[in-house]
Amino acid sequence: LIPSARVDELRRALLGWFAENKRDLPWRRSPSPYRVWVSEVMLQQTRVSVVEGYFARFMARFPTLEALAVAREEEVRGLWQGLGYYSRGRRLLEGARHVLREFEGRMPSEPSELLKVPGIGPYSAGAIASIAHGVRAPLVDGNVIRVLTRVFGLAGDPLKKDLQRKLWMLADELVPADVPGEFNQALMELGALVCTPRSPTCLTCPWRKLCVAHAEGNPERYPEKVEKERSTEVTVLVLVLEHRARLAFETLPSNARWWAGMTALPSIELGERTSGALSRDWAQHASSVS
């Protein structure tokens, strides 16, 4: 447990900093449950600068949850194309249909109810509940993990259950009842702008006097680095078919190895095919494209 005096000090310092430094982001201007949900899904593992344009286009086409729920999957895929992690778009559509069907189109306010919606996990449930509904609920994402492991000097793999549980407990202790959404946004903003993965600007941090990592002089020690899987290099041959100023595209199957369900120029992976086998495979693939 964090001493209550320290909790109060951390809250005051962070909220004061956020009031002066928060970014003017489109989903913050009118934080309805639907807008918060869409923005949080888009922001997962994607930079804010990239999301802003996609969010604006998505909201222009699907301004309400009901509009999204009755949309065709192909149209949602088209608006999502280029944003990456395409399963997020499919799950968002599935979730919107679930809310329309099971909750009469109204996003639940309690995290326990939000977790019943396909595509909504503990982080998204905390974000929607606190930011859009003002419900006291914690959230933990990559930015929050980085901030809390540094402030409290928490060693270990943040993806392991023990440390995950501790991080959620700390986040829950810190979030206030009166402004939970403001606090949660401030915590994420601190990680995004100040307590960055590399070269954090500790001198501008409102928590530096209370931070274990800053006192140790090595904030980048936290969180513990987890070895990532090596990327796979793929060589792809792409065909550009043009007829009367029109290009041929194909919609990839849902079980495709890459870009499942997306619309793209026809292509095949080269691998170690012989030239003869490649010619036969390519001719067969190209003939199926209409």
Side-chain angles (χ1 to χ4, degrees):
L1 293 175
I2 313 170
S4 58
R6 191 181 184 196
V7 169
D8 290 341
E9 188 175 359
L10 287 165
R11 287 174 178 170
R12 284 195 304 271
L14 182 60
L15 289 169
W17 171 85
F18 187 58
E20 295 181 1
N21 295 278
K22 65 180 175 182
R23 290 171 290 183
D24 178 24
L25 301 175
W27 43 88
R28 286 179 177 166
R29 293 168 199 158
S30 52
S32 69
Y34 172 63
R35 288 171 64 85
V36 171
W37 181 25
V38 172
S39 69
E40 292 301 338
V41 172
M42 286 187 169
L43 286 165
Q44 291 167 15
Q45 300 182 321
T46 309
R47 297 190 310 276
V48 168
S49 59
V50 174
V51 168
E52 287 186 274
Y54 279 91
F55 180 81
R57 290 188 291 274
F58 201 88
M59 285 295 113
R61 176 59 188 86
F62 308 119
T64 64
L65 184 144
E66 291 81 1
L68 174 60
V70 299
R72 292 179 296 108
E73 184 175 335
E74 293 78 11
E75 190 172 11
V76 175
R77 281 203 307 262
L79 281 171
W80 205 275
Q81 193 148 352
L83 191 56
Y85 302 98
Y86 298 111
S87 62
R88 295 179 299 171
R90 293 194 294 272
R91 294 289 280 173
L92 188 62
L93 176 58
E94 184 183 352
R97 290 171 175 171
H98 179 91
V99 172
L100 187 62
R101 182 176 64 251
E102 302 296 332
F103 297 102
E104 299 180 343
R106 293 188 294 273
M107 293 287 292
S109 59
E110 292 298 325
S112 59
E113 291 296 303
L114 285 163
L115 287 170
K116 297 176 182 178
V117 178
I120 293 184
Y123 162 74
S124 296
I128 297 166
S130 63
I131 298 170
H133 291 294
V135 172
R136 186 185 178 280
L139 56 76
V140 174
D141 71 344
N143 284 320
V144 174
I145 288 172
R146 189 164 57 255
V147 171
L148 295 184
T149 54
R150 288 175 177 177
V151 170
F152 294 97
L154 302 176
D157 183 350
L159 300 181
K160 294 290 179 64
K161 287 184 178 179
D162 287 347
L163 187 49
Q164 274 280 315
R165 190 180 304 113
K166 190 165 190 176
L167 288 165
W168 276 96
M169 289 175 60
L170 287 169
D172 186 52
E173 286 188 60
L174 288 170
V175 64
D178 55 344
V179 284
E182 195 80 354
F183 181 87
N184 282 336
Q185 290 181 89
L187 192 54
M188 292 187 288
E189 194 86 326
L190 186 67
L193 300 183
V194 175
C195 197
T196 50
R198 289 172 295 278
S199 304
T201 54
C202 296
L203 291 179
T204 66
C205 179
W207 282 2
R208 68 182 181 279
K209 294 180 181 178
L210 301 164
C211 179
V212 171
H214 179 63
E216 292 176 351
N218 185 20
E220 291 185 36
R221 172 189 171 191
Y222 306 95
E224 184 177 295
K225 304 295 187 294
V226 180
E227 188 173 344
K228 296 182 179 178
E229 293 184 12
R230 293 184 178 181
S231 58
T232 302
E233 187 173 302
V234 178
T235 303
V236 175
L237 185 63
V238 178
L239 177 66
V240 180
L241 289 173
E242 184 179 2
H243 178 65
R244 294 180 179 177
R246 299 179 68 186
L247 293 174
F249 290 89
E250 64 175 339
T251 299
L252 299 170
S254 59
N255 62 348
R257 186 181 181 191
W258 316 110
W259 310 297
M262 302 305 295
T263 300
L265 291 169
S267 64
I268 57 172
E269 192 174 327
L270 291 182
E272 297 180 355
R273 292 180 175 89
T274 63
S275 58
L278 179 60
S279 298
R280 287 193 301 272
D281 291 350
W282 185 241
Q284 182 180 3
H285 183 74
S287 67
S288 69
V289 178
S290 58

